[in-house]
Amino acid sequence: DPRVISGESGAIGPGVLGWLTQKAEYRQIRDDLGLGPESRILCFSTEGDTDPQVYREVVWEGAYHG
């Protein structure tokens, strides 16, 4: 598959899904959304690598630019 370069905020969708599916305290939200072991979820990242230097600093080096 071709490589996809997503900007740092492009990870929020999969990150939230990770929390929702792994944390017991979010069971009600999972149930309300109908998320379960057989669920299939498609995530889109609409942010690209718009600033290569900042992208490298944030994604590769852990910096935060607020």
Side-chain angles (χ1 to χ4, degrees):
D1 292 334
R3 181 173 68 152
V4 174
I5 297 177
S6 176
E8 59 274 10
S9 68
I12 189 65
V16 167
L17 285 169
W19 276 87
L20 286 176
T21 59
Q22 295 175 24
K23 301 288 185 178
E25 60 264 32
Y26 298 121
R27 180 179 180 182
Q28 186 61 53
I29 296 172
R30 282 195 302 274
D31 291 346
D32 290 346
L33 293 172
L35 294 177
E38 300 299 317
S39 296
R40 298 293 179 258
I41 302 166
L42 176 63
C43 295
F44 290 91
S45 173
T46 58
E47 178 192 14
D49 178 7
T50 56
D51 184 333
Q53 182 60 39
V54 171
Y55 177 85
R56 176 179 279 284
E57 290 172 4
V58 172
V59 175
W60 291 19
E61 300 168 10
Y64 173 74
H65 292 272

